[in-house]
Amino acid sequence: MDKKDITCILAAFCIILVVAFVIKPLATGQPVNTGLSSATPVPSVMVTPLVVYANITTILATTPPIIPTTTAPTPVPTWNGKAQTVGFVTQSPSQLPANQSLPQGTQINATQPDNRRTVYATISGKYSGTTQVINIPFPYWELSYTIDPMMGPMSGPAIQSIAITPTNGQGVSYSGIQGSYGSVSPQFSIQVMDASDPSRIVRTISPPGGIDPNLWAGITQATPAATLANSQKYAAIQPTPTLSSTDPRPWLEKFFEGQRGYYFIINSQYINSYTLRILIPTRYIGQY
């Protein structure tokens, strides 16, 4: 065989191999058989078993989401701008016991651009008594009070003659008059009590300088006095010096506290009437 024949035989053999291993599989849809393994090596990985709870889906599907709720605070009613009238729980003409006041707190003098005041509540009466509790929601308030005391003696003067005779016939003897007067003595005081702590007396108030209507009005009274001169007996009436003062009514007390309930214990003796007014700064209206 010559070289040409060998070449033809090898070419035919290659054609048969291509048809058998390439063309035929492509025509039939099978993978090309190259004689190599098609498996790709996979690295060994440790897999943790997954625990599945069957009831999780049920709980998530049936339980609605929990939304935290908060209880809203009870709104505090705002003041309507009208003065209230505070009544009495008990009231009688008898005198109530007076207790000592606790020390007052330090007062804060703040500059106030608006000094106007508005009447928040009023208390009026004649006899001693205990008022109802009144809530004062403001951090500062004032108590203005005035009284109408009884004036004049309760009864007319009782005048009787007296005689003095010396012993052993020495000295002088004289006669004169002796007078006694029964007059009223008005008394008035206010105890401001903390309603949240009944044992706490916020302040005990009484008119500064006492109650003297005659002094306020500039009325002078004559005082009887007996004088001896030159061994003569006589009774002389000498007037006292004229005293007068500006009427201090109404009196005013300032309270640098508040936002709580208060009640008032009033002691009134020989008073025709009294009036208490609770005042608040006008600028507080609508803010509390």
Side-chain angles (χ1 to χ4, degrees), residues 206-222:
S206 59
I211 303 173
D212 192 347
N214 293 330
L215 180 64
W216 302 339
I219 300 176
T220 59
Q221 295 180 348

Side-chain angles (χ1 to χ4, degrees), residues 12-241:
F13 183 73
C14 290
I15 293 172
I16 293 172
L17 291 177
V18 171
V19 171
F21 293 102
V22 178
I23 297 177
K24 183 178 178 181
L26 292 176
T28 58
Q30 298 178 0
V32 177
N33 186 6
T34 60
L36 301 175
S37 175
S38 60
T40 303
V42 179
S44 176
V45 178
M46 181 177 293
V47 179
T48 303
L50 179 61
V51 180
V52 179
Y53 296 93
N55 60 343
I56 291 180
T57 303
T58 304
I59 293 174
L60 295 177
T62 59
T63 303
I66 300 175
I67 302 175
T69 58
T70 57
T71 304
T74 303
V76 179
T78 58
W79 183 42
N80 59 7
K82 298 181 179 180
Q84 307 176 51
T85 300
V86 182
F88 284 88
V89 176
T90 60
Q91 185 179 18
S92 65
S94 60
Q95 180 181 3
L96 297 178
N99 297 328
Q100 296 296 325
S101 173
L102 296 179
Q104 302 179 13
T106 303
Q107 296 185 352
I108 301 174
N109 296 323
T111 303
Q112 301 176 356
D114 187 357
N115 293 325
R116 294 178 300 167
R117 297 293 182 264
T118 299
V119 179
Y120 179 68
T122 60
I123 304 170
S124 55
K126 177 178 181 180
Y127 301 111
S128 302
T130 302
T131 71
Q132 300 171 337
V133 175
I134 177 173
N135 182 49
I136 302 179
F138 311 104
Y140 169 83
W141 55 284
E142 299 174 353
L143 178 63
S144 171
Y145 65 99
T146 185
I147 60 175
D148 177 23
M150 296 181 181
M151 298 179 61
M154 295 180 61
S155 60
I159 301 176
Q160 60 182 359
S161 61
I162 59 173
I164 299 177
T165 303
T167 61
N168 298 327
Q170 298 178 355
V172 296
S173 63
Y174 68 93
S175 63
I177 60 172
Q178 176 180 351
S180 68
Y181 294 82
S183 61
V184 298
S185 179
Q187 302 292 329
F188 187 78
S189 65
I190 305 168
Q191 285 184 340
V192 183
M193 308 296 295
D194 188 344
S196 60
D197 184 5
S199 63
R200 175 180 175 238
I201 302 175
V202 179
R203 193 177 303 177
T204 298
I205 303 169
S206 59
I211 303 173
D212 192 347
N214 293 330
L215 180 64
W216 302 339
I219 300 176
T220 59
Q221 295 180 348
T223 303
T227 304
L228 296 177
N230 298 325
S231 300
Q232 296 181 355
K233 51 181 186 263
Y234 67 93
I237 306 298
Q238 296 182 347
T240 58

